[in-house]
């Protein structure tokens, strides 16, 4: 799930941002995984989540993905990705998934010390860790740090800086709330890892022009 690794920000503003991916493997458990994925979706929905979706669905929950219609499509899917803004939600989901032991790989993305701590608390040992090494190259060509924090929550680069800048300007002028702006910014991200809760918080803290 490397597309969720490149979220940019401080430890403080990343501490309540977690992505979780249940993914089937080709040649192992990808043929007709619907019932197991439906069970995982039920577990995901049993706690407070922010957003979810998958590339095969073509849209995220924030952008109007119908949960029941989505459930019907899961036999032809290979995974579900979801976003949480609460540590306790991640802990509860991992505990349930451990108990169910469905045989599908679960990837958790977040601050590594926090993820390791949660796994330890529910009796799990991470199999593999993948780290982002940061940004290299002509960084002077990048948008402001504030904008980068928002656009990197879409790992497939479907959210452009002009959209973020326009929405942030409307919030500064008082013609749009931070929550409304977060909803608009999130819509191009189809896979469901965009965290609108974190987005709204960052917009409220945006530097003055």
């Amino acid at each position: 799930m490397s597309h969720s690794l490149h979220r940019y920000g401080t430890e403080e503003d990343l501490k309540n941002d977690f992505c979780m991916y249940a993914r089937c493997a080709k040649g192992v458990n990808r043929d007709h995984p619907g019932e197991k994925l439906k069970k995982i979706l039920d577990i995901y929905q049993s706690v407070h989540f922010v957003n979810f979706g998958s590339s095969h669905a073509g849209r995220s929950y924030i952008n109007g993905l119908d949960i029941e219609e989505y459930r019907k499509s899961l036999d032809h899917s290979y995974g579900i990705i979801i976003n949480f803004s609460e540590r306790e939600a991640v802990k509860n989901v991992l505990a349930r998934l451990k108990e169910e032991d469905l045989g599908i790989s679960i990837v958790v993305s977040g601050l590594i010390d926090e993820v390791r701590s949660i796994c330890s608390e529910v009796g799990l040992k991470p199999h593999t860790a993948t780290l982002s090494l940061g940004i290299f190259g002509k960084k002077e060509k990048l948008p402001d740090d504030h904008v980068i924090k928002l656009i990197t929550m879409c790992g497939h680069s479907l959210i452009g800086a002009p959209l973020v800048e326009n929405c942030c300007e409307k919030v500064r002028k008082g013609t749009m709330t931070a929550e409304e702006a977060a909803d608009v910014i999130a819509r191009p991200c189809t896979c469901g890892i965009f965290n609108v809760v974190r987005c709204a918080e960052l917009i409220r803290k945006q530097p003055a022009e």
Side-chain angles (χ1 to χ4, degrees), residues 38 40-49 52 61 67-68 71 82 84 93:
K38 287 175 186 176
I40 291 172
L41 181 60
D42 289 340
I43 293 172
Y44 282 171
Q45 290 181 264
S46 69
V47 300
H48 176 69
F49 65 88
F52 80 89
Y61 175 74
I67 294 177
E68 291 309 312
R71 284 176 62 86
I82 193 164
F84 301 102
V93 167

Side-chain angles (χ1 to χ4, degrees), residues 50-55 57-65 150-151 153-160 163-164 166-167 170 176-197 199-200 203:
V50 176
N51 199 6
F52 80 89
S54 64
S55 297
R59 64 170 56 191
S60 68
Y61 175 74
I62 292 296
N63 199 21
L65 177 62
L150 301 184
I151 63 176
M153 281 194 283
C154 176
H156 292 112
S157 300
L158 298 177
I159 296 174
L163 173 64
V164 171
N166 180 264
C167 288
K170 289 179 178 178
M176 180 182 280
T177 68
E179 287 74 19
E180 289 170 341
D183 184 73
V184 171
I185 294 169
R187 289 176 190 174
C189 181
T190 59
C191 74
I193 66 170
F194 193 89
N195 186 335
V196 291
V197 173
C199 181
I203 290 174

Side-chain angles (χ1 to χ4, degrees), residues 8-141:
Y8 182 80
T10 66
E11 185 173 343
E12 179 63 25
D13 66 51
L14 285 165
K15 70 179 182 180
N16 292 314
D17 187 20
F18 301 91
C19 299
M20 190 178 297
Y21 199 177
R23 185 177 177 92
C24 303
K26 188 175 182 179
V28 179
N29 55 10
R30 191 175 285 191
D31 293 334
H32 306 294
E35 291 308 311
K36 290 184 177 181
L37 290 178
K38 287 175 186 176
K39 182 66 177 179
I40 291 172
L41 181 60
D42 289 340
I43 293 172
Y44 282 171
Q45 290 181 264
S46 69
V47 300
H48 176 69
F49 65 88
V50 176
N51 199 6
F52 80 89
S54 64
S55 297
H56 91 273
R59 64 170 56 191
S60 68
Y61 175 74
I62 292 296
N63 199 21
L65 177 62
D66 181 88
I67 294 177
E68 291 309 312
E69 288 300 314
Y70 180 62
R71 284 176 62 86
K72 296 175 185 177
S73 74
L74 288 177
D75 202 42
H76 305 287
S77 179
Y78 52 81
I80 311 171
I81 192 166
I82 193 164
N83 178 260
F84 301 102
S85 63
E86 299 173 3
R87 184 186 191 277
E88 197 62 24
V90 179
K91 180 179 176 180
N92 288 341
V93 167
L94 286 179
R96 288 279 306 280
L97 290 172
K98 178 188 177 186
E99 181 181 336
E100 293 291 338
D101 193 19
L102 296 169
I104 291 178
S105 176
I106 303 295
V107 181
V108 182
S109 177
L111 294 173
I112 189 165
D113 289 342
E114 197 72 2
V115 172
R116 282 176 169 165
S117 176
I118 294 170
C119 287
S120 177
E121 289 170 24
V122 298
L124 292 170
K125 182 178 180 181
H127 175 275
T128 305
T130 306
L131 302 176
S132 172
L133 298 180
I135 301 172
F136 298 85
K138 296 180 179 181
K139 293 191 284 186
E140 67 275 8
K141 293 184 176 293

Side-chain angles (χ1 to χ4, degrees), residues 142-158:
L142 294 173
D144 294 340
D145 281 3
H146 172 70
V147 175
I148 296 175
K149 288 181 181 183
L150 301 184
I151 63 176
T152 54
M153 281 194 283
C154 176
H156 292 112
S157 300
L158 298 177

